[in-house]
Amino acid sequence: MLACRFRTWVLLLLVIFPSLFDPSFSHFDSAKKKQMREKVRKMFYHAYENYMSHAFPHDELKPLSRSFTDSLSELGNLKLEHLPQNYNGTALTLIESLSSLVILGNYTEFERAVLWLSENLTFDVDARVNLFECNIRVLGGLVSAHILATDSTNRLVQGSYKNQLLILAEDLGRRFLPAFDTPTGLPYAWINLKVLAERCLISEVYSNFL
């Protein structure tokens, strides 16, 4: 009975997955993987280089018009009113590209991006942003990049990295906290990073005198 069932399963495998028993399959699979890796690499750099050329340091590239969008602010402020005149977004696409740069082995560009972000990125701006998007894309991107930058096995940003990305992530996270102080406990969908941070700071200073 068991032998019969075993033969049945073998026949099913031969019918459903014949390539598993083909000696040439491993070679084809390896060549196909290499081809797909190269295709993904080209697609990434096509998008990344065009963003850096036409949209950086704004959030995202509009590929057809070769212009930019500051999507985090637009999600919370469709008319883009009351934004600082010198507001240039948060370099969102650059932040989201950091992990990919490491995976692709482009450590030089990763170090250059980390250095720029550590010297130029600030969240002390009077801009209304989408909390969810900012959390998963900006905060998550900064924390991930910090982990990669401090991973000794990667040997990245040698001597030049002093936890700047972690400091930025902590600053952003603290600006999120007041958004969770709601009657229901559910966070607000949109927040003004500067206004909420100032309110939190005032409350902290006031509590120290009590």
Side-chain angles (χ1 to χ4, degrees), residues 105-120:
N106 193 341
Y107 300 146
T108 300
E109 184 65 12
F110 176 83
E111 292 186 29
R112 190 171 76 91
V114 168
L115 181 62
W116 187 92
L117 290 169
S118 65
E119 293 180 348
N120 296 277

Side-chain angles (χ1 to χ4, degrees), residues 127-131 134 175-176 178-179 188-193 196:
R128 190 168 181 251
V129 301
N130 183 275
L131 176 65
C134 197
R175 293 173 188 273
F176 286 167
Y188 294 114
W190 298 280
I191 60 172
N192 185 306
L193 296 175
L196 285 179

Side-chain angles (χ1 to χ4, degrees), residues 18 83 87 116 147 185:
L83 284 175
Y87 182 71
W116 187 92
I147 293 173

Side-chain angles (χ1 to χ4, degrees), residues 117-188:
L117 290 169
S118 65
E119 293 180 348
N120 296 277
L121 184 61
T122 177
F123 301 113
D124 189 31
V125 291
D126 186 10
R128 190 168 181 251
V129 301
N130 183 275
L131 176 65
F132 176 77
E133 292 291 329
C134 197
N135 182 33
I136 65 173
R137 301 173 71 180
V138 182
L139 183 61
L142 289 171
V143 171
S144 299
H146 165 73
I147 293 173
L148 291 170
T150 54
D151 184 355
S152 59
T153 60
N154 287 327
R155 298 181 180 178
L156 301 174
V157 287
Q158 300 175 8
S160 62
Y161 185 67
K162 306 297 182 183
N163 297 327
Q164 297 100 317
L165 298 182
L166 182 62
I167 294 172
L168 283 169
E170 181 181 6
D171 175 47
L172 181 61
R174 290 185 180 276
R175 293 173 188 273
F176 286 167
L177 293 179
F180 291 84
D181 185 16
T182 65
T184 62
L186 296 175
Y188 294 114

Side-chain angles (χ1 to χ4, degrees), residues 84-95:
Q85 291 184 351
N86 60 344
Y87 182 71
N88 291 320
T90 58
L92 176 60
T93 297
L94 179 63
I95 294 173

